[in-house]
């Protein structure tokens, strides 16, 4: 299970303690709760104390980053705290795309002609798109938070490097890296040549002379611009497919008995069989791996960088299951011998942001459909996202509730608990237990166990 962070009476970090020890300190009145998540105690009388080295290990990822704190005890390295940090890069990109579409529509209605601006907008060195910058900021924010709660002495970071060309073609050698995918060919001409100047779906059966570039997995459904995801299709087939996913359109074609649909289904199966997975996540890790490392160096601790191959070898040799926090625990040379308790469950952290700056909700045409939200975010001392404990003594909702609060200007709040949303809780029944910090928390379930099916029988893990 997770260890409990401990601070002395000067708010200096001490070694994390076992939950049983934490309960004793609370029962005897020697400590108080400093923070709910991650659970932290502050001692009332003790100042300072002996500590052992603790290393923070980070496994950066495109969607999830693994975090692990490994104590360097004399008897060996041991994981005392772990978490999976889920990023919101996809949400940020979606919101930016939506804002861009609304802004363009508004400018088209309000200003029919806009004079061209000078190209005077420059980006600073090391600029990253907001969706990637958020990943780096999340990792840095949590590293700083853990440094305040635990006596960290060093940081180990996995700097994975994906060779996207080699992933697509393992036989690349020598000057092939310089030639690229479309050597001396324009994209459209390359696709026309690849498909013999005929539609990839109907093979010319539709007798439509207009040939167009077509994404097999539509861009609106998450498809990429890679060559493997593009074909040449006639306008008839392109319009017939629309923005349907290949599996959906293939099912429709198979259900039809028309000759052209049968031909389309047969050709679609060939096209679909040649598709390769998108490398978008690999590109995101490539773009942020060194930026995350540089951000963690700002902690002022000795920072080392290790390859993903070493991490995988360490995890495989010890028989641990695949998970982000387990990969983080196995980062580096010291990750070849690390103990993980069978009872350890990672803290699941999901980045949610600090609310929206949009004042009004828009309809599909870009017009406001709600009233502007109030400028004052605090209502009766509460903000949306705060953790609260509500004890309702009267009325139909009588009972005790714990969870996140959504404030309303009327003073009647909604609380999201483990069992669902409870609406209409008066503010006078609520007590704040932790302020909103832009993250949502829960703990991993049974599937987060560090042992794999094969490792359990070999007895590789040592219990605490």
């Amino acid at each position: 299970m997770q260890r409990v962070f401990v601070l002395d009476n000067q708010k200096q970090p001490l070694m994390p303690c076992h939950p049983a020890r934490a309960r004793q300190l609370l029962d005897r009145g020697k400590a108080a709760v400093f923070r709910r998540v991650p659970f932290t105690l502050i001692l009332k009388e003790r100042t300072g104390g002996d500590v052992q080295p603790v290393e923070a290990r980070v496994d950066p990822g495109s969607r999830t980053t693994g975090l692990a704190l490994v104590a360097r005890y004399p008897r060996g390295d041991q994981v005392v705290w772990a978490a999976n940090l889920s990023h919101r890069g996809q949400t940020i990109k979606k919101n930016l795309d939506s804002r861009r579409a609304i802004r363009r529509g508004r400018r088209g209605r309000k200003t029919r002609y806009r004079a061209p601006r000078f190209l005077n907008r420059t980006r600073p060195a090391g600029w990253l798109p907001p969706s990637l910058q958020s990943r780096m900021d999340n990792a840095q924010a949590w590293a700083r938070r853990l440094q305040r709660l635990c006596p960290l002495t060093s940081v180990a970071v996995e700097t994975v490097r994906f060779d996207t060309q080699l992933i697509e073609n393992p036989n690349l050698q020598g000057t092939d890296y310089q030639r690229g995918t479309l050597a001396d060919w324009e994209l459209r001409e390359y696709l026309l040549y690849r498909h013999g100047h005929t539609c990839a779906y109907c093979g010319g059966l539709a007798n439509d002379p207009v040939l167009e570039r077509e994404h097999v997995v539509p861009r609106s459904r998450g498809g990429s611009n890679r060559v493997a995801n593009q074909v040449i299709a006639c306008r008839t087939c392109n319009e017939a497919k629309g923005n349907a996913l290949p599996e959906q359109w293939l099912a429709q074609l198979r259900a039809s008995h028309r000759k052209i649909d049968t031909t389309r289904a047969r050709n679609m199966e060939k096209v679909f069989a040649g598709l390769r997975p998108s490398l978008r996540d690999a590109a995101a890790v490539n773009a942020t791996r060194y930026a995350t490392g540089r951000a963690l160096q700002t902690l002022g601790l000795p920072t080392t960088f290790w390859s993903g191959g070493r991490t995988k070898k360490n995890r495989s040799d010890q028989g641990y299951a695949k998970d982000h926090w387990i990969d983080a625990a196995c980062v580096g040379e010291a990750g070849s011998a690390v103990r993980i308790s069978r009872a350890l469950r990672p803290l699941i952290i999901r980045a949610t942001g600090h609310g929206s700056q949009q004042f009004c909700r828009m309809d599909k045409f870009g017009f406001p459909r709600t009233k502007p939200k109030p400028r004052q975010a605090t209502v009766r001392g509460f903000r949306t996202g705060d953790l609260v404990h509500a004890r309702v003594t009267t009325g139909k909702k009588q009972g005790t509730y714990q969870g996140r609060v959504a404030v309303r200007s009327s003073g009647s709040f909604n609380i999201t608990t483990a069992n669902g949303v409870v609406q209409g809780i008066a503010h006078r029944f609520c007590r704040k237990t932790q302020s909103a910090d832009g993250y949502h928390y829960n703990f991993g379930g049974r599937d987060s166990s560090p042992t794999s099916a094969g490792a359990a029988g070999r007895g590789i893990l040592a219990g605490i």
Side-chain angles (χ1 to χ4, degrees):
M1 59 186 67
Q2 299 272 31
R3 294 295 180 99
V4 177
F5 294 118
V6 181
L7 306 178
D8 67 7
N9 57 7
Q10 301 299 318
K11 296 185 180 180
Q12 296 302 311
L14 301 175
M15 288 301 293
C17 69
H18 194 277
R21 175 61 177 166
R23 286 191 292 269
Q24 292 178 357
L25 293 174
L26 290 173
D27 292 340
R28 297 174 183 175
K30 295 183 177 181
V33 176
F34 181 79
R35 184 180 176 86
R36 293 284 179 176
V37 184
F39 196 71
T40 307
L41 298 182
I42 183 169
L43 301 179
K44 297 181 178 180
E45 300 177 357
R46 182 174 175 179
T47 302
D50 296 332
V51 296
Q52 288 78 37
V54 179
E55 185 174 55
R57 300 179 182 176
V58 183
D59 174 34
S62 171
R63 300 175 185 270
T64 304
T65 292
L67 304 173
L69 299 183
V70 181
R72 314 296 296 271
Y73 293 127
R75 64 181 182 271
D77 293 354
Q78 180 175 307
V79 177
V80 295
W81 188 88
N84 279 342
L85 173 59
S86 298
H87 304 294
R88 56 189 298 262
Q90 300 297 325
T91 302
I92 291 176
K93 184 180 185 305
K94 181 180 178 181
N95 292 341
L96 289 176
D97 290 342
S98 175
R99 187 181 69 176
R100 183 185 302 112
I102 293 174
R103 182 174 63 246
R104 286 179 177 177
R106 181 173 62 250
R107 286 175 175 174
R109 292 191 303 270
K110 301 293 184 181
T111 309
R112 298 303 176 93
Y113 173 77
R114 300 179 74 244
R117 62 172 173 81
F118 293 103
L119 297 177
N120 57 355
R121 299 184 183 181
T122 59
R123 293 170 176 172
W127 178 87
L128 290 173
S131 58
L132 300 183
Q133 183 68 34
S134 68
R135 297 176 171 97
M136 186 190 71
D137 292 341
N138 288 335
Q140 183 183 29
W142 268 95
R144 291 188 179 279
R145 180 176 297 182
L146 294 175
Q147 188 180 24
R148 294 192 297 266
L149 301 178
C150 189
L152 301 183
T153 57
S154 61
V155 179
V157 187
E158 178 186 309
T159 53
V160 182
R161 180 171 182 173
F162 292 103
D163 192 336
T164 54
Q165 291 193 76
L166 197 61
I167 291 174
E168 288 190 304
N169 184 4
N171 299 320
L172 282 178
Q173 293 180 355
T175 59
D176 290 339
Y177 280 97
Q178 301 175 7
R179 293 179 60 83
T181 307
L182 306 178
D184 302 327
W185 294 90
E186 295 291 341
L187 179 58
R188 177 177 170 81
E189 293 299 322
Y190 172 80
L191 294 175
L192 286 170
Y193 178 82
R194 189 177 70 177
H195 294 286
H197 290 76
T198 58
C199 176
Y201 296 139
C202 69
L205 194 62
N207 295 322
D208 192 337
V210 181
L211 298 178
E212 302 171 334
R213 287 170 50 194
E214 202 272 333
H215 292 80
V216 182
V217 178
R219 291 283 291 164
S220 61
R221 308 293 290 273
S224 68
N225 273 326
R226 289 177 54 224
V227 180
N229 191 44
Q230 297 188 46
V231 296
I232 285 292
C234 64
R235 180 168 296 177
T236 302
C237 293
N238 199 357
E239 293 178 351
K241 180 175 177 294
N243 70 334
L245 291 172
E247 301 92 342
Q248 298 173 348
W249 198 47
L250 186 57
Q252 297 175 5
L253 296 176
R254 287 172 176 170
S256 175
H257 298 288
R258 299 172 57 199
K259 179 180 179 180
I260 187 172
D261 288 341
T262 303
T263 304
R264 285 171 175 170
R266 183 170 59 252
N267 292 335
M268 185 64 188
E269 291 174 351
K270 297 178 181 178
V271 172
F272 193 34
L275 288 178
R276 284 168 282 183
S278 173
L279 300 177
R280 181 173 297 176
D281 290 339
V285 175
N286 265 348
T288 58
R289 64 184 188 275
Y290 290 123
T292 301
R294 289 192 297 268
L296 295 178
Q297 285 180 324
T298 61
L299 273 64
L301 300 175
T303 305
T304 56
F305 301 92
W306 306 91
S307 70
R310 180 184 287 269
T311 300
K312 183 176 181 180
K313 183 179 185 303
N314 292 342
R315 176 173 54 81
S316 300
D317 290 347
Q318 297 175 91
Y320 295 146
K322 170 66 178 174
D323 205 338
H324 297 283
W325 67 276
I326 297 178
D327 281 346
C330 297
V331 167
E333 184 177 2
S336 59
V338 59
R339 295 192 302 163
I340 305 178
S341 171
R342 297 178 186 274
L344 181 62
R345 295 292 180 267
L347 178 65
I348 308 300
I349 308 169
R350 179 168 55 86
T352 58
H354 295 274
S356 173
Q357 296 182 355
Q358 188 176 9
F359 277 88
C360 297
R361 298 293 184 183
M362 300 292 177
D363 58 17
K364 63 180 180 179
F365 302 106
F367 292 98
R369 62 178 178 84
T370 62
K371 295 182 180 179
K373 64 181 181 181
R375 294 183 178 271
Q376 185 64 29
T378 302
V379 177
R380 307 287 184 173
F382 297 90
R383 292 172 62 95
T384 296
D386 289 345
L387 294 178
V388 299
H389 177 88
R391 185 179 180 184
V392 183
T393 56
T394 59
K396 296 181 179 179
K397 295 182 175 61
Q398 186 173 355
T400 302
Y401 309 97
Q402 293 183 355
R404 292 193 174 272
V405 66
V407 301
R408 300 289 182 271
S409 58
S410 61
S412 179
F413 301 158
N414 297 344
I415 300 178
T416 302
T417 67
N419 299 323
V421 179
V422 181
Q423 301 181 355
I425 303 298
H427 67 88
R428 64 180 182 275
F429 298 125
C430 299
R431 178 174 59 87
K432 185 192 300 185
T433 58
Q434 182 168 306
S435 299
D437 58 358
Y439 297 94
H440 178 76
Y441 308 97
N442 64 15
F443 284 92
R446 293 285 182 181
D447 55 343
S448 299
S449 173
T451 53
S452 62
R458 296 193 295 269
I460 294 177
L461 290 178
I464 296 178

